[in-house]
Amino acid sequence: MATFRIKRYNPEKSPDSYYQDFEYDFPEGATLLDCLNEIKWTQDGSLTYRMSCRSAICGSCGMKGNGHALLACQRQAAHLMKDGVVTVEPMGNMTPIKDLVVDFKPFWEKIDQIKPYLKNKEKPPEKERRQTPKQFKVIDDASTCIMCGACYSDCQMLEVDGNFLGPAALAKAQRFVGDSRDTATLERIKELSQPGGMWDCTHCGECVERCPKPVKPFDRIKELMAVGLEQGVHGNVGARHALSFTKSIKKSGCLNEATLPVESIGYFNFKGLFDLLPVGLRMLFKGKIPPLIHKSCEDVKDVKRIFEELGE
Ligand code: FES
């Protein structure tokens, strides 16, 4: 027996959401979706949520269980119980429409923004454009995305910046940037390097935890960043930060915290540097300014060897 504490919302009746408890003695192996169906069919027919395949394929049944995004048809209710209670809420970073149904419009707009289709100016061959297994492997993980929105729901960057493209759109972008049949790599990377793009990811890794498939969105974002650096698209804070970081570690074995912010902002970005001034002054008054003369760490030889072995 478990209590399903479900967040309810019906704007036609009240502007406020509330939690409603349903008791249900679920059979062994029942998924959260099985339980919601049973509650809907036997206790309250007005309970609203999306579902279709019941096989973790269509991506419709995304919601939050105990505070984290998941697919209701993929997760067993028993694994979600905490002190006899399963808390069920709509996904985050999207506006609830009714009960557990959220508005996916911003999610789809961001997928559209990355132009999710092959671009190739060359004349098409008589039959299909072929790929080797090795070429497909580059986009294999990203291709498994079912667009359920779980990563988008729990992305911490999206919580503070609604303009961020988000993990799903960026993983989808990698699926095309890495596609051997697509010839718009540089054009795509330049667009993805704009504010709100790949460099705005905070590297929290939450999207990897929440993704119900092997997409691992953060890994795909790192691949996009690597392509950006390889393609020489360095005119943004994120790329300069990565380059400065690498340069400092390679040279001295440790981070030069005095030059990192300045090199990240850009020596000739006067407005950006001016904006840094208040933070610098606060650090100065608190005695937290890093040493201006940067010393190498003791094991710098080992660090250099690692760089050589990895071919940077
Ligand atoms: S119902 Fe299709 S993924 Fe859950």
Side-chain angles (χ1 to χ4, degrees):
M1 176 65 78
T3 301
F4 289 84
R5 187 156 295 153
I6 304 175
K7 194 167 188 184
R8 308 289 311 264
Y9 172 60
N10 184 351
E12 286 172 7
K13 291 193 175 160
S14 162
D16 301 320
S17 57
Y18 61 97
Y19 287 89
Q20 187 175 2
D21 285 358
F22 296 92
E23 306 296 323
Y24 175 45
D25 189 6
F26 61 86
E28 198 187 330
T31 64
L32 175 58
L33 185 60
D34 292 334
C35 298
L36 292 177
N37 283 339
E38 197 60 30
I39 290 167
K40 183 176 174 71
W41 295 335
T42 60
Q43 298 189 41
D44 186 344
S46 71
L47 182 61
T48 307
Y49 47 91
R50 291 190 179 108
M51 60 161 275
S52 181
C53 70
R54 307 208 304 183
S55 309
I57 294 170
C58 73
S60 305
C61 65
M63 57 187 71
K64 278 191 177 184
N66 290 342
H68 297 297
L70 45 75
L71 292 179
C73 69
Q74 194 187 40
R75 200 66 70 88
Q76 288 197 17
H79 297 167
L80 289 167
M81 268 217 295
K82 263 191 192 163
D83 302 325
V85 178
V86 179
T87 306
V88 189
E89 294 161 313
M91 286 204 289
N93 291 327
M94 286 176 274
T95 311
I97 296 173
K98 189 179 178 194
D99 291 344
L100 304 172
V101 174
V102 293
D103 182 6
F104 260 68
K105 195 163 176 259
F107 176 91
W108 294 121
E109 281 172 352
K110 284 166 185 177
I111 296 284
D112 273 353
Q113 220 176 309
I114 61 96
K115 304 189 179 70
Y117 41 83
L118 276 184
K119 288 187 174 189
N120 193 323
K121 291 200 183 115
E122 289 158 22
K123 195 170 168 279
E126 253 179 50
K127 288 190 180 173
E128 72 274 14
R129 296 185 201 273
R130 305 194 69 168
Q131 282 194 301
T132 64
K134 194 176 167 199
Q135 286 169 332
F136 176 68
K137 199 157 179 14
V138 180
I139 58 167
D140 190 3
D141 286 343
S143 305
T144 62
C145 177
I146 56 170
M147 312 240 221
C148 63
C151 61
Y152 191 95
S153 157
D154 287 19
C155 172
Q156 298 181 8
M157 186 60 198
L158 274 165
E159 275 181 35
V160 293
D161 181 5
N163 284 326
F164 179 47
L165 274 171
L170 288 168
K172 183 62 74 186
Q174 189 276 329
R175 184 249 168 276
F176 291 97
V177 165
D179 195 311
S180 56
R181 299 161 297 182
D182 189 282
T183 56
T185 304
L186 185 59
E187 176 192 324
R188 289 183 187 277
I189 284 292
K190 281 184 181 169
E191 281 172 19
L192 294 167
S193 299
Q194 298 296 318
M198 59 187 180
W199 292 106
D200 282 9
C201 167
T202 54
H203 304 198
C204 71
E206 189 68 13
C207 52
V208 178
E209 297 290 317
R210 301 301 147 222
C211 177
K213 294 287 169 181
V215 181
K216 300 184 281 298
F218 176 48
D219 291 13
R220 308 288 77 79
I221 295 171
K222 283 188 285 184
E223 285 166 4
L224 287 174
M225 290 170 173
V227 176
L229 295 176
E230 278 162 23
Q231 294 274 331
V233 184
H234 299 166
N236 57 76
V237 175
R240 285 195 293 265
H241 182 81
L243 291 169
S244 171
F245 204 103
T246 315
K247 187 179 85 179
S248 163
I249 300 287
K250 188 180 172 187
K251 194 172 165 202
S252 64
C254 50
L255 191 59
N256 187 340
E257 292 180 81
T259 55
L260 184 71
V262 182
E263 290 187 348
S264 301
I265 297 289
Y267 285 112
F268 299 107
N269 179 356
F270 299 116
K271 185 186 172 303
L273 291 174
F274 188 73
D275 289 346
L276 261 189
L277 209 57
V279 184
L281 287 174
R282 275 205 303 277
M283 287 173 76
L284 182 68
F285 292 131
K286 299 264 179 193
K288 289 189 173 178
I289 287 283
L292 294 177
I293 298 177
H294 183 64
K295 288 189 187 149
S296 296
C297 74
E298 279 179 16
D299 301 326
V300 64
K301 273 189 196 151
D302 289 339
V303 176
K304 287 187 175 176
R305 184 180 48 77
I306 292 169
F307 268 91
E308 274 163 28
E309 288 187 10
L310 292 176
E312 299 186 31

